Amino acid sequence: MLLEVHKKLQARSDRVKSVDFHPTEPWVITGLYNGSVNIYNHITGAVVKTFEVAQVPVRCVRFITRKNWFVAGSDDFQLRAFNYNTHEKVTAFEAHPDYIRCLAVHPTLSLVFTGSDDMTIKSWDWEKGWKNTVTFQGHTHYIMNIAINPKDPQTFATSCLDKTVKVWSITSPNANFTLDAHERGGVNYVEYHPDPHKPYILTTGDDRTIRVWDLLSKSCIQTLEGHTSNVSWAIYVGGGLPLIVSGSEDGTIKLWNAGTYRLENTLSYGMERVWCASLNKSGGNELAIGFDDGLVVLKLGKDEPTYSMDSSGKLIYAKGTEIQTANLALLYEEGSSMEALPDGSRVSLSLKELGATEVYPNSIQHSPNGRFVTVVGDGEYIIYTPIAWRNKAFGQGSSFAWADDSNTYAVLEGKLKVRIWRNFKEKKEALKGAGGWSVESLHGGPLLCARGNGFVVFWDWETGEIVRRIDVDSKNIYWSTSGTLVAITSDDSYFILRYDRAAYRAAVDSGASIGDEGCEEAFEIVTEISESVKTAKWIGECFIYTNSANRLNYLLGTQTNTVTQFERPLYMLGYIPSHNRVYLVDRDMSVLVYNLSLAVVEYQTAILQRDLVTAAELLSAVPEAERNKVARFLEAQDLKSLALQVTNDTEHKFELAIALDELDLALSLAEATPAPENEVKWKMVGDTALSRWRFGLARECYRRAGDVSASFLLETALGDKNGLRKTAKDATGKGLNNIAFAALWQLGDPKAAVGLLLETDRKAEAALLARTYAPSCVPKALQSWRIELESKGKSKTAGLLADPSRGQDSELFQEGWDTALEREEQIYGKSTNGTMDIGAVLAGDSP
């Protein structure tokens, strides 16, 4: 069995005696030998909460999520419950007169079962004040584990060091029956099979074995041997993964095939003895394991389900070893309401049991014509007919690939041997270079592709010659339906290559030597995109895929487009052109639907090929709702004029009009936009008009945009006195006094500038400016400055200001003062002498 095992968390701590998953939060709770309880976030690895429960070992701990509690049993005989949100202790009482070794929480009733070294099991009802409802007696040694029957929660099983397993009813103190489970040593653990149709239990013992029992016949049907010390626990993984996981005091975790009972893998994390485990029953096949030195959380298997859908919409997928089928093409039968389904809707399928497969499937592949289906798993491949599910061919193989003709296929045996079959008969011709490279997987298409560590190699199906060897780290290979494009995906990016069959044939026909690297001209790179592809399909020359960021994207040419964003990981099922829908599945094989118009894809393809005539013909078929997306695509292809004709979005149309210097259209769109949203548009039209020397239009646009700075720049450059006066007025109205002052200064009116400074409480600056450029304004400016200083309690400073209008200061202004006044009159004229009415100036009454 090809099984992926990922370590999600490894945390060092004191000895972990018990673990449990929270069903909704990403939490794992651990009971420690030092008396503490920790709650970890198994995604981030952080310790979320810590509780000091007891001074002695906490041997068992479980969540009671209905109450936001956890319950813990310890060596001080106490059963305690805490609210894990508030840290409040809910209860604590002596449940047994000896160590509490195990406990279980009933899935529906308000019951907690505890097992102790006093050789009894007790049930406690928290809704009745933690009343002891039943005491179960019959064991003659320590109670090691309690397991509630998932099929019938009215019964449970217990394991004991008296070498037996007993099955009880929750209302009766006497056991229903007893299994003499292990002859040598006690029974450490008991676990039910999660499938209600399989009446099996697992037991583990100090005799270093795991045993599988049939509860109907009450007989042992299999004994698993391999551990070298006491086996602490064994768990059925379930969820379609036929796996038994066991942990032992020898420090190892062993993975067993639940169908063949063959040992598949042995894991060791160097954390000493293994004591406990818990499976995340909310899905995901996550397993928490407690060691002497801490906690490890593993992810077993893959989230992506095993499935295949042919081009007509016939779906086949595996649920464990059972095969089910559905036909997505029938979703759009007459009278169907599929057309009204919004994106992301879950589709209800009519499922049919097709049969079973003899191996646990790691992959399922339809042949290109849909006549056959290949299942690969457990180191074998089997070819079935998809309708009757009959075995057509089988053999040893870890990877499989179909050729485009559906009559030829290749099988990988081990890591080095690749065998090719045609019409179910093995070809004698060997592949050039095969056996010299360690191959991880095969991929079919126009060429046979093998993927290995750091390379991808393509062979010609007919001759077995190497077409091209490319040094690249890859995860998967996807051929387009036309056979001219191929996508090579890696961990953080993907490449699109174009296959030139004619160039390869020309190189072969020329007699040139083609070595192990193949023909360099056979492939040319089209683009590289920095995205991690998870699953993908080709639609013509459109590459559609899901990525690691949970987005559905598609690539046309060198441009990617996002169709939608997911909240959880989804996997590409396929595309049915007649439906205009992309189908995806989640890990539970729920089918979801998203809209992707074939007309849009065909139109974009024609644009990429620069076939504008065909594109114009296809445009009428593009739905109105997709026109804006198409327009964005056209803009990216530098076809802005065409995008302007296609788009229905006024914002996009305005942007295109600006980019194309269509100022009249941009002006009309700006006028149609209500204020104040139109200010930005007026500014953009003004900037464009200015760059095109249309000063009149630019002036009007800046005015309507209220852009005083731009208006000042333009009026200054034009030297328009009336325009500057209007700009100064607008700036004053908006409180942009710096611009207003600059405009007045450009108008050559220092008296109005002094008046503006006085109005804006800039008294000192006004006085100094007046002394230099408008001496007739000095008395008024000084008066205003003195009043300001006196109001601030600075009368002494105010008295020091020299004023030519005051008699005591007149002698200070004898030299040159009259000359300055005369010069001012000559420059600015008699009519302005002494006038600082800025309102009159801005109204145009001052020259």
Side-chain angles (χ1 to χ4, degrees), residues 71 135 398 423 517 548 595 598 623 633 688 692 703 706 763:
V71 61
T135 298
S398 58
N423 296 325
E517 296 300 314
S548 57
N595 181 66
L598 180 62
F633 172 80
T688 306
R692 298 297 178 266
R703 184 187 64 78
K763 315 294 186 183

Side-chain angles (χ1 to χ4, degrees), residues 743-770:
L744 291 172
W745 194 254
Q746 289 293 327
L747 285 169
D749 200 335
K751 293 183 181 180
V754 170
L756 178 63
L757 291 173
L758 290 174
E759 285 188 9
T760 55
D761 294 326
R762 308 279 289 273
K763 315 294 186 183
E765 291 94 328
L768 294 173
L769 181 69

Side-chain angles (χ1 to χ4, degrees), residues 587-603:
R587 70 181 184 190
D588 299 319
M589 276 306 295
S590 298
V591 178
L592 293 91
V593 60
Y594 290 89
N595 181 66
L596 180 61
S597 172
L598 180 62
V600 171
V601 173
E602 290 176 340
Y603 179 84

Side-chain angles (χ1 to χ4, degrees), residues 726-748:
K726 183 166 184 13
T727 299
K729 182 177 182 181
D730 291 341
T732 303
K734 290 179 177 289
L736 301 174
N737 297 316
N738 286 342
I739 295 176
F741 180 87
L744 291 172
W745 194 254
Q746 289 293 327
L747 285 169

Side-chain angles (χ1 to χ4, degrees), residues 37 42 51 93 133 251 264 349 393 406 418 515 544 607 619 701 703 725 768:
V37 168
H42 59 78
F51 298 81
F93 59 92
T133 55
E264 296 289 346
L349 296 177
S406 297
V418 179
I544 183 166
I607 290 295
L619 183 61
C701 289
R703 184 187 64 78
R725 186 173 285 111
L768 294 173

Side-chain angles (χ1 to χ4, degrees), residues 100-117:
I100 302 173
R101 286 194 179 270
C102 55
L103 63 83
V105 178
H106 197 278
T108 56
L109 303 177
S110 55
L111 294 177
V112 173
F113 297 87
T114 57
S116 170
D117 286 3

